[in-house]
């Protein structure tokens, strides 16, 4: 089972790296929006530090939404999804491998550029570890939940708008708890409650999302 799981991840990573332009879009969006915001609104240090937690997480949410549509689109068009369902291996395991590959492509680069974003938005140093942890806990939830919507709209042409309508309301709790944790850490307050909620959401998504994605793909194929 582990070999099959790793094979799915490796296959999706290879496919993604062959489309480098599309691969870089979410990260470039993340960097450009965060970089241009101080230029377009105000370079004031206090103003930026107050808005930084919400800005970073709204940008993260939108970058995830941009990329999540591509999880199943190519596989649905070339018939690879049908081959997954014909495989003797559990479909939920194969689907989970595809979502993990998506997170490695989109979530891990965001973790890498968090220090740069913190520097540009004047986030205090004591809040940087909390910001990093919220990205680490929150982005897998965005990938798992977004994959459910991507599976439901995989067979639709121009399903991006419908995908946004389906997924954005489910993203809101992640946005609230993650930005609240960063804001609290900047003020020197406890953040254990917000991080616990993000951790619980991640565990719940890891358990339930693969089965929900599989069922959604069956609906799209039918």
């Amino acid at each position: 089972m582990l070999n099959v799981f790793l094979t799915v991840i490796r296959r999706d990573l290879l496919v993604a790296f062959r489309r480098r332009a599309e691969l870089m879009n979410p990260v470039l969006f993340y960097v450009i929006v965060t970089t241009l915001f101080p230029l377009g609104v105000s370079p004031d240090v206090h103003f930026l530090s107050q808005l930084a937690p919400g800005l970073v997480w709204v940008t993260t949410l939108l970058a995830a939404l941009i990329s999540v549509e591509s999880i199943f689109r190519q596989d649905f068009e070339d018939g690879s999804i049908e081959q997954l369902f014909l495989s003797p291996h559990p479909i939920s395991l194969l689907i989970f491998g595809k979502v993990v590959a998506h997170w490695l492509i989109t979530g891990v680069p965001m973790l890498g550029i968090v220090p740069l974003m913190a520097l540009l938005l004047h986030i205090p140093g004591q809040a940087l570890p909390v910001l990093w942890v919220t990205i680490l806990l929150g982005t897998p939830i965005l990938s798992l939940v977004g994959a459910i919507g991507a599976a439901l709209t995989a067979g639709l042409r121009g399903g991006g708008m419908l995908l946004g309508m389906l997924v954005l309301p489910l993203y809101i709790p992640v946005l609230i708890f993650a930005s609240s944790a960063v804001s609290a850490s900047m003020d020197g307050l406890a953040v254990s409650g917000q991080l616990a909620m993000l951790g619980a959401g991640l565990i719940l998504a890891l358990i339930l999302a693969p089965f929900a994605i599989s069922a959604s793909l069956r609906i799209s194929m039918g």
Side-chain angles (χ1 to χ4, degrees):
M1 290 296 181
L2 179 60
N3 288 335
V4 172
F5 178 71
L6 294 177
T7 299
V8 172
I9 295 176
R10 183 167 59 249
R11 179 260 182 192
D12 277 29
L13 291 177
L14 288 174
V15 171
F17 280 106
R18 289 172 183 171
R19 298 177 293 177
R20 291 183 178 85
E22 186 176 338
L23 175 67
M24 292 301 296
N25 283 341
V27 177
L28 288 176
F29 174 84
Y30 188 74
V31 173
I32 289 172
V33 171
T34 311
T35 304
L36 293 181
F37 186 83
L39 300 176
V41 180
S42 172
D44 181 70
V45 173
H46 179 72
F47 176 77
L48 287 176
S49 64
Q50 291 296 314
L51 291 183
L55 175 62
V56 167
W57 261 98
V58 167
T59 309
T60 302
L61 186 151
L62 294 176
L65 186 61
I66 289 173
S67 65
V68 79
E69 186 182 3
S70 64
I71 295 180
F72 303 114
R73 183 183 59 200
Q74 187 70 29
D75 291 335
F76 197 90
E77 292 175 353
D78 63 17
S80 299
I81 291 295
E82 296 179 4
Q83 298 302 314
L84 291 181
F85 278 95
L86 294 175
S87 169
H89 305 289
I91 183 63
S92 58
L93 178 67
L94 303 179
I95 293 300
F96 183 57
K98 295 182 69 63
V99 177
V100 170
H102 174 265
W103 179 77
L104 291 174
I105 294 166
T106 59
V108 171
M110 291 181 188
L111 287 170
I113 59 178
V114 160
L116 174 62
M117 301 299 100
L119 179 65
L120 291 173
L121 298 174
H122 302 284
I123 296 176
Q126 74 270 14
L128 182 57
V130 175
L131 174 60
W132 194 85
V133 171
T134 60
I135 297 291
L136 180 63
L137 294 175
T139 49
I141 302 176
L142 300 183
S143 293
L144 288 162
V145 173
I148 300 174
L152 283 171
T153 58
L156 302 177
R157 290 186 177 180
M161 183 175 296
L162 179 59
L163 173 61
M165 294 174 62
L166 290 172
V167 169
L168 277 177
L170 302 177
Y171 279 178
I172 298 302
V174 178
L175 172 65
I176 293 173
F177 288 116
S179 59
S180 174
V182 179
S183 296
S185 67
M186 291 171 60
D187 296 332
L189 302 176
V191 299
S192 57
Q194 294 95 323
L195 296 182
M197 291 300 295
L198 287 174
L202 177 57
I203 293 172
L204 190 64
L206 288 171
I207 294 172
L208 299 179
F211 301 100
I213 296 167
S214 302
S216 301
L217 284 173
R218 286 191 177 94
I219 292 172
S220 295
M221 291 175 61

